[in-house]
Amino acid sequence: MPAGRGDACEPCYWTRACRKRIIIGQAGITTKALREAFGEFGEWLIRTTGPHKAALKINHFFSFFLEIDQAWSRIPSYSELLHHFGAEGLRRVRLPMRWLHEEQGVEPDHQAKRIDSEKRRIQACLSSMPSASLSDQVLQAYWLQLETRIEAGTTSHTSARLALSAAAALLLNTDREGQRLPNQGDVDSYLSAVPGQAASVTGFTNFLNRQHATTLTPRVDEKRVRKRRKEMLARTMMQMAKCAEQGDEWRERWIVTAMEYFHDKKVTKKALRRQAIESSGDGVRVTMGDESYWLPIA
């Protein structure tokens, strides 16, 4: 037997230790049904994870059962658990939730879980504005409009969250102190940095135009976007040229990047593997259909 274990082998030692901790935990639970549930969960945990891990984890999960005992004095439904703990809180107790599902028939509602996550992200977005600022008031008003659409079934929580996030980003990009609303220059500046947000920010600019008599138009300077993209590709290629190891994976990534930089051709790695690629001088020649493109190799 290992030193300090007495007459117990390793699994027996940890099984006894876990069961002692279960009994101690049960003494703190007031409801008989929850005391029994905690004991059953502990035995399930021993079988599922092994006695060593179970002994180490059981005290961590005790607080979950204690909170259930205090809030309901019974095993609650999934919707009750979700409302009380939130999706993030339930993620921290995956094993008890698995036990509730497998042994107690508590069926998870994945759609409700996604909506709860979106709601919490929306609240975090609403809290991102300086308190009591003009931006805070405007964003709250915009959220009321989006919330009305959710209740009417014309938009989803995810779409509303994306629209709200774009609005918050534009407001913060305009004035970190939240004391003024965006003008056309602010919208142009924001979209030059994140042109892909044009669609998401349109609803907010329309809202500002209606509610605050602005005349904002989300517009993307395609020429400027291409220039910024070209600069990004150039930086990527410069960094890649410094790589000591230039194997097959590096070569594939280089060709994808170079095709866009030199020939304005976006091609995925998967699509590239179906093309003919041949060495040609100091570079390679990529044949796509009837077209052939030469690329340098660093």
Side-chain angles (χ1 to χ4, degrees):
M1 297 301 171
R5 296 289 188 264
D7 61 349
C9 65
E10 191 79 5
C12 290
Y13 170 82
W14 287 112
T15 299
R16 289 177 186 176
C18 186
R19 285 173 176 160
K20 285 181 181 178
R21 292 167 190 177
I22 291 169
I23 292 170
I24 292 170
Q26 286 176 313
I29 297 174
T30 58
T31 309
K32 180 182 177 182
L34 266 299
R35 284 198 299 271
E36 292 175 352
F38 185 62
E40 291 169 9
F41 166 71
E43 292 297 327
W44 175 89
L45 193 65
I46 292 170
R47 296 192 304 272
T48 304
T49 67
H52 188 184
K53 287 185 178 180
L56 297 177
K57 290 176 178 288
I58 192 66
N59 285 343
H60 171 72
F61 295 133
F62 165 71
S63 59
F64 174 69
F65 282 86
L66 182 61
E67 194 158 349
I68 289 175
D69 177 50
Q70 294 172 346
W72 294 284
S73 299
R74 58 176 172 79
I75 299 293
S77 66
Y78 183 85
S79 60
E80 289 173 317
L81 287 166
L82 183 64
H83 180 74
H84 185 83
F85 291 98
E88 182 59 34
L90 295 185
R91 274 193 286 272
R92 298 193 188 104
V93 287
R94 285 188 177 92
L95 284 170
M97 289 304 297
R98 180 181 160 191
W99 173 78
L100 285 170
H101 173 55
E102 293 180 1
E103 304 296 327
Q104 300 294 317
V106 176
E107 289 291 335
D109 185 334
H110 297 295
Q111 183 179 359
K113 188 176 180 180
R114 283 193 296 272
I115 290 174
D116 181 82
S117 294
E118 293 292 7
K119 285 180 177 179
R120 290 175 187 274
R121 294 170 75 179
I122 286 168
Q123 288 305 314
C125 184
L126 290 170
S127 301
S128 65
M129 295 296 106
S131 179
S133 65
L134 177 60
S135 292
D136 182 38
Q137 295 169 24
V138 169
L139 193 66
Q140 295 287 344
Y142 183 49
W143 164 240
L144 289 177
Q145 175 182 289
L146 293 171
E147 192 174 32
T148 300
R149 292 177 182 173
I150 292 173
E151 292 171 353
T154 57
T155 193
S156 67
H157 281 85
T158 299
S159 296
R161 189 259 303 168
L162 291 171
L164 195 70
S165 297
L170 173 59
L171 289 168
L172 290 172
N173 191 69
T174 297
D175 179 11
R176 303 295 299 184
E177 301 300 320
Q179 298 306 313
R180 72 177 182 86
L181 296 179
N183 56 34
Q184 187 62 50
D186 296 315
V187 177
D188 292 344
S189 174
Y190 173 68
L191 290 179
S192 71
V194 283
Q197 289 292 300
S200 295
V201 84
T202 297
F204 183 55
T205 55
N206 290 342
F207 169 80
L208 291 176
N209 292 342
R210 289 194 305 271
Q211 300 295 324
H212 296 274
T214 55
T215 55
L216 304 176
T217 302
R219 58 194 182 192
V220 176
D221 186 336
E222 296 294 344
K223 186 176 179 180
R224 188 173 181 181
V225 169
R226 286 195 298 271
K227 182 182 177 182
R228 289 174 65 93
R229 177 66 179 171
K230 200 90 168 180
E231 291 170 350
M232 187 276 288
L233 291 169
R235 287 194 299 271
T236 299
M237 293 175 71
M238 288 175 65
Q239 292 171 355
M240 291 183 69
K242 298 175 183 177
C243 291
E245 295 185 13
Q246 298 184 358
D248 291 342
E249 185 178 343
W250 177 94
R251 184 172 180 269
E252 196 175 58
R253 185 180 170 215
W254 173 272
I255 293 174
V256 168
T257 307
M259 280 291 291
E260 184 176 355
Y261 181 78
F262 290 109
H263 301 290
D264 290 325
K265 290 287 184 181
K266 289 188 177 182
V267 56
T268 65
K269 291 181 181 179
K270 183 178 180 180
L272 184 67
R273 294 178 190 129
R274 297 195 295 267
Q275 312 306 323
I277 303 173
E278 300 174 344
S279 296
S280 176
D282 295 331
V284 295
R285 187 165 294 280
V286 180
T287 302
M288 300 177 66
D290 298 329
E291 299 291 333
S292 182
Y293 306 91
W294 183 85
L295 303 169
I297 292 291

